[in-house]
Amino acid sequence: MGDKTVATVQKVKSYLETNPEFAPSYMDKAEFLKDEAVVTGLNPIFNLAEQLASDLNDTVTLAGSEALTASMLYYGSAKEAASKGVATAKPVYEDLSQRFSKRGNKNFSEKK
């Protein structure tokens, strides 16, 4: 429920208490009051959980970006070493080149 909807439900609860004559006979007032109490009680916890999830997402995004940047540096170093004939760099470069190939590269589209 959005903030406006929660506020509407809480306002109806207030009116139900001050003007009960407008509640239809088929409305389960006890169930409404239980539901409103759950929403009102859990809403602050829900908001904290949403903020935590957003903060976690931001942290994962930033850390992932930094990790990818470092990975690209390592790949570049292995590529250069392989081009200079360093034997141990060649298998590392060949393996990683499958991950770092350009999207238009034939090898990349075959690996998908």
Side-chain angles (χ1 to χ4, degrees), residues 52-108:
L52 178 60
S54 176
D55 291 347
L56 286 170
N57 186 54
D58 292 347
T59 301
V60 168
T61 299
L62 179 60
S65 174
E66 291 173 356
L68 180 60
T69 298
S71 297
M72 292 169 68
L73 291 171
Y74 182 89
Y75 168 70
S77 178
K79 180 179 179 180
E80 184 170 339
S83 74
K84 296 193 188 277
V86 177
T88 56
K90 186 178 179 187
V92 172
Y93 165 69
E94 288 175 351
D95 184 40
L96 291 177
S97 68
Q98 297 174 28
R99 302 272 180 193
F100 288 99
S101 296
K102 301 262 188 250
R103 289 194 183 265
N105 188 332
K106 185 178 178 185
N107 289 337
F108 180 83

Side-chain angles (χ1 to χ4, degrees), residues 6-70:
V6 171
T8 299
V9 168
Q10 290 171 337
K11 186 165 281 230
V12 167
K13 177 191 175 205
S14 177
Y15 279 128
L16 185 61
E17 291 169 351
T18 59
N19 300 88
E21 68 271 15
F22 298 118
S25 60
Y26 49 85
M27 177 182 179
D28 187 340
K29 293 173 221 135
E31 193 61 34
F32 168 77
L33 293 172
K34 285 184 207 173
D35 291 340
E36 184 279 332
V38 168
V39 169
T40 298
L42 291 180
N43 209 36
I45 297 167
F46 176 78
N47 290 338
L48 287 172
E50 267 193 332
Q51 183 63 48
L52 178 60
S54 176
D55 291 347
L56 286 170
N57 186 54
D58 292 347
T59 301
V60 168
T61 299
L62 179 60
S65 174
E66 291 173 356
L68 180 60
T69 298

